[in-house]
Amino acid sequence: MFGRGKRPDNSGRSELASAIHDCRRALGGIIVFSGVMNILTLTGPLFMLQIYDRVVPSQSISTLLGLAAITAFLYLALGFLDNMRARILIRVAAYVDEVVHPKVYRAVVTLPLRNALPGDGLQPLRDLDQIRSFIAGGGPAAFADLPFLPLQVIICFLIDPLIGYAVIVGAVIIFFLTLLTDVTVRKATEDASAKSSERFAMIEAGRRNAEVLRALGMGSRMAERWGHVNRSYEASHQTVMERSGTYSGISKVFRMMFQSFLLGLGAYLVIVNQASFGVIIAASILGARALQPIEMLVANWKGFVASRQAWHRLNRLLAQFPDTEDPMPLPAPKTTLKVENLAVVPPASNRPSVVDVSFALKGGNALGIIGPSGAGKSSLVRVIIGAWAPARGRIRLDGAALEQWHPDTLGKHIGYLPQDVELFAGSVAENIARFDPEAKSEKIVEAAQAAGVHDLILHLPDGYSTQIGESGSSLSAGQRQRVALARALYGDPFLVVLDEPNSNLDAEGDAALTQAILSVRRRGGIAIVVAHRPSALEGVDMALAMVNGGMAAFGEKEEVLRKVLRPNVVPAIKPGPQVVQGGAQAQNQPQKGREEAAAS
């Protein structure tokens, strides 16, 4: 019924629209069910008509029992169809979530690499939750009942034209109440959504930095700032609730008054002998039932407005991630890494952090990148591993640009240890194996041994099965860094990039790091190490000095260090040297400005 397992088509529809289109048969069934249910809702008024016009005058118990049995059966059928309609809507909502959530996850984890997200960055997930909740709720059922409103009105006209006209007037009034609800709630709903995201972002930042807040006495001040944002959100949310509640209340009161009005109108028709006594009750029930779909729309309008806004936001976001054909699989890289005329502009910035960097390495090389803070070292390696897209230039592995690889396939050939180590909730073994469900234990142990962390892991409470908690909170900073190093080495990747890998290491950890770099070189891989501490450079044979985003020197380690560490010397260099193969000294051009010491 739902086409489960199919991907959204390429007919120009968005992913959300395609998922809904896949459910068209189920939604058609919803409309059919709604039509039958609207007919079955006539059971009550017709039963009342028969009671007052047939059973009471005839005083026939058998007729009463027969009508009661028929009525009970029809009410059971109505309840069954209502339950089935609700279940179908729940399954439609689940299918939409199943189709769209992989791309929403991809967007949430990829957008920080493209631009800065407002708020906490989880708005796309909340938008999907809002759409799913609305579909599974009563909103679509109210819309499905609307096409059958004319049927109810026609039946009211058949009872008496005055009752039909009264129902039309009531429907028009409630319709305008619905429009007023939309106009008054729309902007407030948008504001509440934006402020909710900002609120979550601030409290999440406080949670991550709880130690800093406590140690520096910033808790009260940050709580005051969060309180200001929270009060702003509460004000917007309160506005939405008050306005939607006001119109929902007005609609409810009007319907009750209208039902009483229909009772009076029915009584008038009986008095002037234009209708039977049963018309009084039947007209009241039927008129109120005719207006119920519109009242349900008013009651669900806040959810509809929020879902409509979420739909538009999510469509705009997912349009940034069009479906593309997976690139043809390439052989595993084994020989070279080339950086060609690279320029880097960080996400959400218009100022380049790296300009005209070019170099080449071959298997067995290890490159140390040095330079003062802010020189562009971390920006350079983020592009090299494919996390950021270059503003200009190319990164090539064995001649193939990084974009020619599928990201998941490329990741098997790259090991990366970032400055700020993040581990994931799970066991030590799972983190080292990059949560590969098919990981072999011997490969995990090999990676740990290559990182010099095997013995350390064995002394943990449950060894490799030790649960490390969120972000590896049960481990020390040095332990997290060494486990992350083992993760970078897992699977013997060709390119291993380490950004400040010894910032939390002791002497034993430094020695293990050097051995890990040498092991990468011995097996023909390439290692790149960003470092401020000279001990991290023990295992490298090449060096790249960066200043102000450009190359100050590139070549063999001893030559580069001798050049940049000479006191009171202004190197005659400028960014943008020619590409030099690993092991050769760079030919540099004059550059103005004094070089700062690149290592302590």
Side-chain angles (χ1 to χ4, degrees), residues 436-456:
D436 181 1
E438 300 178 358
K440 296 181 178 180
S441 57
E442 54 268 24
K443 293 292 185 182
I444 297 174
V445 173
E446 286 176 8
Q449 290 173 337
V453 74
H454 175 68
D455 292 336
L456 184 152

mmCIF file with all atom_site columns, all heavy atoms in Angstrom, residues 436-456:
data_model
loop_
_atom_site.group_PDB
_atom_site.id
_atom_site.type_symbol
_atom_site.label_atom_id
_atom_site.label_alt_id
_atom_site.label_comp_id
_atom_site.label_asym_id
_atom_site.label_entity_id
_atom_site.label_seq_id
_atom_site.pdbx_PDB_ins_code
_atom_site.Cartn_x
_atom_site.Cartn_y
_atom_site.Cartn_z
_atom_site.occupancy
_atom_site.B_iso_or_equiv
_atom_site.pdbx_formal_charge
_atom_site.auth_seq_id
_atom_site.auth_comp_id
_atom_site.auth_asym_id
_atom_site.auth_atom_id
_atom_site.pdbx_PDB_model_num
ATOM 1   N N   . ASP A 1 436 ? 31.619 -0.143  12.864 1.00 0.00 ? 436 ASP A N   1
ATOM 2   C CA  . ASP A 1 436 ? 31.405 -1.090  11.778 1.00 0.00 ? 436 ASP A CA  1
ATOM 3   C C   . ASP A 1 436 ? 30.834 -2.379  12.360 1.00 0.00 ? 436 ASP A C   1
ATOM 4   O O   . ASP A 1 436 ? 31.497 -3.050  13.155 1.00 0.00 ? 436 ASP A O   1
ATOM 5   C CB  . ASP A 1 436 ? 32.734 -1.378  11.073 1.00 0.00 ? 436 ASP A CB  1
ATOM 6   C CG  . ASP A 1 436 ? 32.582 -2.354  9.910  1.00 0.00 ? 436 ASP A CG  1
ATOM 7   O OD1 . ASP A 1 436 ? 31.445 -2.801  9.633  1.00 0.00 ? 436 ASP A OD1 1
ATOM 8   O OD2 . ASP A 1 436 ? 33.607 -2.683  9.283  1.00 0.00 ? 436 ASP A OD2 1
ATOM 9   N N   . PRO A 1 437 ? 29.596 -2.760  12.004 1.00 0.00 ? 437 PRO A N   1
ATOM 10  C CA  . PRO A 1 437 ? 29.001 -3.968  12.602 1.00 0.00 ? 437 PRO A CA  1
ATOM 11  C C   . PRO A 1 437 ? 29.708 -5.247  12.196 1.00 0.00 ? 437 PRO A C   1
ATOM 12  O O   . PRO A 1 437 ? 29.538 -6.282  12.848 1.00 0.00 ? 437 PRO A O   1
ATOM 13  C CB  . PRO A 1 437 ? 27.556 -3.956  12.073 1.00 0.00 ? 437 PRO A CB  1
ATOM 14  C CG  . PRO A 1 437 ? 27.611 -3.142  10.822 1.00 0.00 ? 437 PRO A CG  1
ATOM 15  C CD  . PRO A 1 437 ? 28.687 -2.114  11.046 1.00 0.00 ? 437 PRO A CD  1
ATOM 16  N N   . GLU A 1 438 ? 30.516 -5.200  11.132 1.00 0.00 ? 438 GLU A N   1
ATOM 17  C CA  . GLU A 1 438 ? 31.210 -6.388  10.666 1.00 0.00 ? 438 GLU A CA  1
ATOM 18  C C   . GLU A 1 438 ? 32.700 -6.364  11.033 1.00 0.00 ? 438 GLU A C   1
ATOM 19  O O   . GLU A 1 438 ? 33.495 -7.126  10.480 1.00 0.00 ? 438 GLU A O   1
ATOM 20  C CB  . GLU A 1 438 ? 31.058 -6.530  9.148  1.00 0.00 ? 438 GLU A CB  1
ATOM 21  C CG  . GLU A 1 438 ? 29.595 -6.664  8.696  1.00 0.00 ? 438 GLU A CG  1
ATOM 22  C CD  . GLU A 1 438 ? 29.459 -6.759  7.194  1.00 0.00 ? 438 GLU A CD  1
ATOM 23  O OE1 . GLU A 1 438 ? 30.502 -6.673  6.506  1.00 0.00 ? 438 GLU A OE1 1
ATOM 24  O OE2 . GLU A 1 438 ? 28.329 -6.922  6.715  1.00 0.00 ? 438 GLU A OE2 1
ATOM 25  N N   . ALA A 1 439 ? 33.065 -5.477  11.940 1.00 0.00 ? 439 ALA A N   1
ATOM 26  C CA  . ALA A 1 439 ? 34.476 -5.354  12.319 1.00 0.00 ? 439 ALA A CA  1
ATOM 27  C C   . ALA A 1 439 ? 34.969 -6.633  12.983 1.00 0.00 ? 439 ALA A C   1
ATOM 28  O O   . ALA A 1 439 ? 34.265 -7.254  13.787 1.00 0.00 ? 439 ALA A O   1
ATOM 29  C CB  . ALA A 1 439 ? 34.658 -4.168  13.261 1.00 0.00 ? 439 ALA A CB  1
ATOM 30  N N   . LYS A 1 440 ? 36.187 -7.031  12.642 1.00 0.00 ? 440 LYS A N   1
ATOM 31  C CA  . LYS A 1 440 ? 36.798 -8.222  13.229 1.00 0.00 ? 440 LYS A CA  1
ATOM 32  C C   . LYS A 1 440 ? 37.650 -7.807  14.421 1.00 0.00 ? 440 LYS A C   1
ATOM 33  O O   . LYS A 1 440 ? 38.354 -6.796  14.383 1.00 0.00 ? 440 LYS A O   1
ATOM 34  C CB  . LYS A 1 440 ? 37.633 -8.960  12.191 1.00 0.00 ? 440 LYS A CB  1
ATOM 35  C CG  . LYS A 1 440 ? 36.804 -9.501  11.022 1.00 0.00 ? 440 LYS A CG  1
ATOM 36  C CD  . LYS A 1 440 ? 37.667 -10.248 10.026 1.00 0.00 ? 440 LYS A CD  1
ATOM 37  C CE  . LYS A 1 440 ? 36.827 -10.823 8.890  1.00 0.00 ? 440 LYS A CE  1
ATOM 38  N NZ  . LYS A 1 440 ? 37.647 -11.551 7.893  1.00 0.00 ? 440 LYS A NZ  1
ATOM 39  N N   . SER A 1 441 ? 37.595 -8.616  15.447 1.00 0.00 ? 441 SER A N   1
ATOM 40  C CA  . SER A 1 441 ? 38.282 -8.261  16.691 1.00 0.00 ? 441 SER A CA  1
ATOM 41  C C   . SER A 1 441 ? 39.787 -8.111  16.483 1.00 0.00 ? 441 SER A C   1
ATOM 42  O O   . SER A 1 441 ? 40.420 -7.236  17.096 1.00 0.00 ? 441 SER A O   1
ATOM 43  C CB  . SER A 1 441 ? 38.003 -9.321  17.761 1.00 0.00 ? 441 SER A CB  1
ATOM 44  O OG  . SER A 1 441 ? 38.399 -10.610 17.311 1.00 0.00 ? 441 SER A OG  1
ATOM 45  N N   . GLU A 1 442 ? 40.372 -8.936  15.602 1.00 0.00 ? 442 GLU A N   1
ATOM 46  C CA  . GLU A 1 442 ? 41.824 -8.825  15.405 1.00 0.00 ? 442 GLU A CA  1
ATOM 47  C C   . GLU A 1 442 ? 42.207 -7.486  14.776 1.00 0.00 ? 442 GLU A C   1
ATOM 48  O O   . GLU A 1 442 ? 43.271 -6.934  15.071 1.00 0.00 ? 442 GLU A O   1
ATOM 49  C CB  . GLU A 1 442 ? 42.361 -9.980  14.548 1.00 0.00 ? 442 GLU A CB  1
ATOM 50  C CG  . GLU A 1 442 ? 41.672 -10.158 13.211 1.00 0.00 ? 442 GLU A CG  1
ATOM 51  C CD  . GLU A 1 442 ? 40.509 -11.137 13.261 1.00 0.00 ? 442 GLU A CD  1
ATOM 52  O OE1 . GLU A 1 442 ? 39.949 -11.319 14.367 1.00 0.00 ? 442 GLU A OE1 1
ATOM 53  O OE2 . GLU A 1 442 ? 40.191 -11.717 12.210 1.00 0.00 ? 442 GLU A OE2 1
ATOM 54  N N   . LYS A 1 443 ? 41.339 -6.951  13.912 1.00 0.00 ? 443 LYS A N   1
ATOM 55  C CA  . LYS A 1 443 ? 41.613 -5.647  13.311 1.00 0.00 ? 443 LYS A CA  1
ATOM 56  C C   . LYS A 1 443 ? 41.544 -4.538  14.360 1.00 0.00 ? 443 LYS A C   1
ATOM 57  O O   . LYS A 1 443 ? 42.322 -3.573  14.320 1.00 0.00 ? 443 LYS A O   1
ATOM 58  C CB  . LYS A 1 443 ? 40.609 -5.367  12.188 1.00 0.00 ? 443 LYS A CB  1
ATOM 59  C CG  . LYS A 1 443 ? 40.750 -6.279  10.969 1.00 0.00 ? 443 LYS A CG  1
ATOM 60  C CD  . LYS A 1 443 ? 42.035 -6.004  10.230 1.00 0.00 ? 443 LYS A CD  1
ATOM 61  C CE  . LYS A 1 443 ? 42.137 -6.820  8.949  1.00 0.00 ? 443 LYS A CE  1
ATOM 62  N NZ  . LYS A 1 443 ? 43.417 -6.593  8.240  1.00 0.00 ? 443 LYS A NZ  1
ATOM 63  N N   . ILE A 1 444 ? 40.594 -4.676  15.291 1.00 0.00 ? 444 ILE A N   1
ATOM 64  C CA  . ILE A 1 444 ? 40.474 -3.680  16.354 1.00 0.00 ? 444 ILE A CA  1
ATOM 65  C C   . ILE A 1 444 ? 41.714 -3.704  17.242 1.00 0.00 ? 444 ILE A C   1
ATOM 66  O O   . ILE A 1 444 ? 42.276 -2.645  17.583 1.00 0.00 ? 444 ILE A O   1
ATOM 67  C CB  . ILE A 1 444 ? 39.199 -3.953  17.182 1.00 0.00 ? 444 ILE A CB  1
ATOM 68  C CG1 . ILE A 1 444 ? 37.955 -3.815  16.299 1.00 0.00 ? 444 ILE A CG1 1
ATOM 69  C CG2 . ILE A 1 444 ? 39.118 -3.007  18.373 1.00 0.00 ? 444 ILE A CG2 1
ATOM 70  C CD1 . ILE A 1 444 ? 36.665 -4.207  16.979 1.00 0.00 ? 444 ILE A CD1 1
ATOM 71  N N   . VAL A 1 445 ? 42.149 -4.905  17.584 1.00 0.00 ? 445 VAL A N   1
ATOM 72  C CA  . VAL A 1 445 ? 43.340 -5.028  18.433 1.00 0.00 ? 445 VAL A CA  1
ATOM 73  C C   . VAL A 1 445 ? 44.574 -4.506  17.701 1.00 0.00 ? 445 VAL A C   1
ATOM 74  O O   . VAL A 1 445 ? 45.431 -3.831  18.303 1.00 0.00 ? 445 VAL A O   1
ATOM 75  C CB  . VAL A 1 445 ? 43.534 -6.492  18.872 1.00 0.00 ? 445 VAL A CB  1
ATOM 76  C CG1 . VAL A 1 445 ? 44.869 -6.665  19.606 1.00 0.00 ? 445 VAL A CG1 1
ATOM 77  C CG2 . VAL A 1 445 ? 42.379 -6.939  19.755 1.00 0.00 ? 445 VAL A CG2 1
ATOM 78  N N   . GLU A 1 446 ? 44.696 -4.793  16.416 1.00 0.00 ? 446 GLU A N   1
ATOM 79  C CA  . GLU A 1 446 ? 45.831 -4.291  15.639 1.00 0.00 ? 446 GLU A CA  1
ATOM 80  C C   . GLU A 1 446 ? 45.880 -2.764  15.660 1.00 0.00 ? 446 GLU A C   1
ATOM 81  O O   . GLU A 1 446 ? 46.955 -2.166  15.804 1.00 0.00 ? 446 GLU A O   1
ATOM 82  C CB  . GLU A 1 446 ? 45.745 -4.794  14.196 1.00 0.00 ? 446 GLU A CB  1
ATOM 83  C CG  . GLU A 1 446 ? 46.084 -6.268  14.032 1.00 0.00 ? 446 GLU A CG  1
ATOM 84  C CD  . GLU A 1 446 ? 45.890 -6.733  12.594 1.00 0.00 ? 446 GLU A CD  1
ATOM 85  O OE1 . GLU A 1 446 ? 45.642 -5.864  11.730 1.00 0.00 ? 446 GLU A OE1 1
ATOM 86  O OE2 . GLU A 1 446 ? 45.977 -7.958  12.338 1.00 0.00 ? 446 GLU A OE2 1
ATOM 87  N N   . ALA A 1 447 ? 44.721 -2.124  15.497 1.00 0.00 ? 447 ALA A N   1
ATOM 88  C CA  . ALA A 1 447 ? 44.687 -0.651  15.517 1.00 0.00 ? 447 ALA A CA  1
ATOM 89  C C   . ALA A 1 447 ? 45.093 -0.134  16.889 1.00 0.00 ? 447 ALA A C   1
ATOM 90  O O   . ALA A 1 447 ? 45.837 0.856   17.000 1.00 0.00 ? 447 ALA A O   1
ATOM 91  C CB  . ALA A 1 447 ? 43.298 -0.163  15.136 1.00 0.00 ? 447 ALA A CB  1
ATOM 92  N N   . ALA A 1 448 ? 44.605 -0.786  17.946 1.00 0.00 ? 448 ALA A N   1
ATOM 93  C CA  . ALA A 1 448 ? 44.959 -0.357  19.295 1.00 0.00 ? 448 ALA A CA  1
ATOM 94  C C   . ALA A 1 448 ? 46.450 -0.543  19.552 1.00 0.00 ? 448 ALA A C   1
ATOM 95  O O   . ALA A 1 448 ? 47.105 0.311   20.182 1.00 0.00 ? 448 ALA A O   1
ATOM 96  C CB  . ALA A 1 448 ? 44.137 -1.143  20.314 1.00 0.00 ? 448 ALA A CB  1
ATOM 97  N N   . GLN A 1 449 ? 47.008 -1.635  19.075 1.00 0.00 ? 449 GLN A N   1
ATOM 98  C CA  . GLN A 1 449 ? 48.445 -1.866  19.251 1.00 0.00 ? 449 GLN A CA  1
ATOM 99  C C   . GLN A 1 449 ? 49.261 -0.866  18.457 1.00 0.00 ? 449 GLN A C   1
ATOM 100 O O   . GLN A 1 449 ? 50.290 -0.377  18.931 1.00 0.00 ? 449 GLN A O   1
ATOM 101 C CB  . GLN A 1 449 ? 48.789 -3.299  18.839 1.00 0.00 ? 449 GLN A CB  1
ATOM 102 C CG  . GLN A 1 449 ? 48.253 -4.363  19.795 1.00 0.00 ? 449 GLN A CG  1
ATOM 103 C CD  . GLN A 1 449 ? 48.464 -5.776  19.291 1.00 0.00 ? 449 GLN A CD  1
ATOM 104 O OE1 . GLN A 1 449 ? 48.611 -5.993  18.085 1.00 0.00 ? 449 GLN A OE1 1
ATOM 105 N NE2 . GLN A 1 449 ? 48.496 -6.743  20.210 1.00 0.00 ? 449 GLN A NE2 1
ATOM 106 N N   . ALA A 1 450 ? 48.797 -0.528  17.242 1.00 0.00 ? 450 ALA A N   1
ATOM 107 C CA  . ALA A 1 450 ? 49.513 0.469   16.436 1.00 0.00 ? 450 ALA A CA  1
ATOM 108 C C   . ALA A 1 450 ? 49.506 1.825   17.122 1.00 0.00 ? 450 ALA A C   1
ATOM 109 O O   . ALA A 1 450 ? 50.459 2.604   16.991 1.00 0.00 ? 450 ALA A O   1
ATOM 110 C CB  . ALA A 1 450 ? 48.879 0.565   15.045 1.00 0.00 ? 450 ALA A CB  1
ATOM 111 N N   . ALA A 1 451 ? 48.429 2.131   17.873 1.00 0.00 ? 451 ALA A N   1
ATOM 112 C CA  . ALA A 1 451 ? 48.343 3.404   18.583 1.00 0.00 ? 451 ALA A CA  1
ATOM 113 C C   . ALA A 1 451 ? 48.980 3.322   19.967 1.00 0.00 ? 451 ALA A C   1
ATOM 114 O O   . ALA A 1 451 ? 48.994 4.318   20.700 1.00 0.00 ? 451 ALA A O   1
ATOM 115 C CB  . ALA A 1 451 ? 46.878 3.825   18.717 1.00 0.00 ? 451 ALA A CB  1
ATOM 116 N N   . GLY A 1 452 ? 49.487 2.129   20.345 1.00 0.00 ? 452 GLY A N   1
ATOM 117 C CA  . GLY A 1 452 ? 50.105 1.975   21.659 1.00 0.00 ? 452 GLY A CA  1
ATOM 118 C C   . GLY A 1 452 ? 49.116 2.078   22.796 1.00 0.00 ? 452 GLY A C   1
ATOM 119 O O   . GLY A 1 452 ? 49.490 2.473   23.907 1.00 0.00 ? 452 GLY A O   1
ATOM 120 N N   . VAL A 1 453 ? 47.867 1.713   22.570 1.00 0.00 ? 453 VAL A N   1
ATOM 121 C CA  . VAL A 1 453 ? 46.837 1.876   23.602 1.00 0.00 ? 453 VAL A CA  1
ATOM 122 C C   . VAL A 1 453 ? 46.256 0.532   24.033 1.00 0.00 ? 453 VAL A C   1
ATOM 123 O O   . VAL A 1 453 ? 45.352 0.476   24.864 1.00 0.00 ? 453 VAL A O   1
ATOM 124 C CB  . VAL A 1 453 ? 45.723 2.819   23.073 1.00 0.00 ? 453 VAL A CB  1
ATOM 125 C CG1 . VAL A 1 453 ? 44.837 2.106   22.045 1.00 0.00 ? 453 VAL A CG1 1
ATOM 126 C CG2 . VAL A 1 453 ? 44.891 3.400   24.196 1.00 0.00 ? 453 VAL A CG2 1
ATOM 127 N N   . HIS A 1 454 ? 46.789 -0.566  23.496 1.00 0.00 ? 454 HIS A N   1
ATOM 128 C CA  . HIS A 1 454 ? 46.232 -1.886  23.797 1.00 0.00 ? 454 HIS A CA  1
ATOM 129 C C   . HIS A 1 454 ? 46.306 -2.193  25.294 1.00 0.00 ? 454 HIS A C   1
ATOM 130 O O   . HIS A 1 454 ? 45.302 -2.602  25.903 1.00 0.00 ? 454 HIS A O   1
ATOM 131 C CB  . HIS A 1 454 ? 46.988 -2.953  22.989 1.00 0.00 ? 454 HIS A CB  1
ATOM 132 C CG  . HIS A 1 454 ? 46.591 -4.352  23.305 1.00 0.00 ? 454 HIS A CG  1
ATOM 133 N ND1 . HIS A 1 454 ? 45.357 -4.875  22.995 1.00 0.00 ? 454 HIS A ND1 1
ATOM 134 C CD2 . HIS A 1 454 ? 47.291 -5.358  23.940 1.00 0.00 ? 454 HIS A CD2 1
ATOM 135 C CE1 . HIS A 1 454 ? 45.295 -6.134  23.401 1.00 0.00 ? 454 HIS A CE1 1
ATOM 136 N NE2 . HIS A 1 454 ? 46.450 -6.448  23.972 1.00 0.00 ? 454 HIS A NE2 1
ATOM 137 N N   . ASP A 1 455 ? 47.470 -2.015  25.900 1.00 0.00 ? 455 ASP A N   1
ATOM 138 C CA  . ASP A 1 455 ? 47.612 -2.319  27.321 1.00 0.00 ? 455 ASP A CA  1
ATOM 139 C C   . ASP A 1 455 ? 46.728 -1.413  28.175 1.00 0.00 ? 455 ASP A C   1
ATOM 140 O O   . ASP A 1 455 ? 46.162 -1.862  29.187 1.00 0.00 ? 455 ASP A O   1
ATOM 141 C CB  . ASP A 1 455 ? 49.075 -2.166  27.761 1.00 0.00 ? 455 ASP A CB  1
ATOM 142 C CG  . ASP A 1 455 ? 49.965 -3.243  27.142 1.00 0.00 ? 455 ASP A CG  1
ATOM 143 O OD1 . ASP A 1 455 ? 49.424 -4.313  26.780 1.00 0.00 ? 455 ASP A OD1 1
ATOM 144 O OD2 . ASP A 1 455 ? 51.179 -3.014  27.019 1.00 0.00 ? 455 ASP A OD2 1
ATOM 145 N N   . LEU A 1 456 ? 46.620 -0.177  27.790 1.00 0.00 ? 456 LEU A N   1
ATOM 146 C CA  . LEU A 1 456 ? 45.760 0.761   28.528 1.00 0.00 ? 456 LEU A CA  1
ATOM 147 C C   . LEU A 1 456 ? 44.312 0.280   28.511 1.00 0.00 ? 456 LEU A C   1
ATOM 148 O O   . LEU A 1 456 ? 43.617 0.310   29.535 1.00 0.00 ? 456 LEU A O   1
ATOM 149 C CB  . LEU A 1 456 ? 45.876 2.159   27.907 1.00 0.00 ? 456 LEU A CB  1
ATOM 150 C CG  . LEU A 1 456 ? 45.124 3.315   28.574 1.00 0.00 ? 456 LEU A CG  1
ATOM 151 C CD1 . LEU A 1 456 ? 45.857 4.626   28.315 1.00 0.00 ? 456 LEU A CD1 1
ATOM 152 C CD2 . LEU A 1 456 ? 43.687 3.445   28.056 1.00 0.00 ? 456 LEU A CD2 1
#
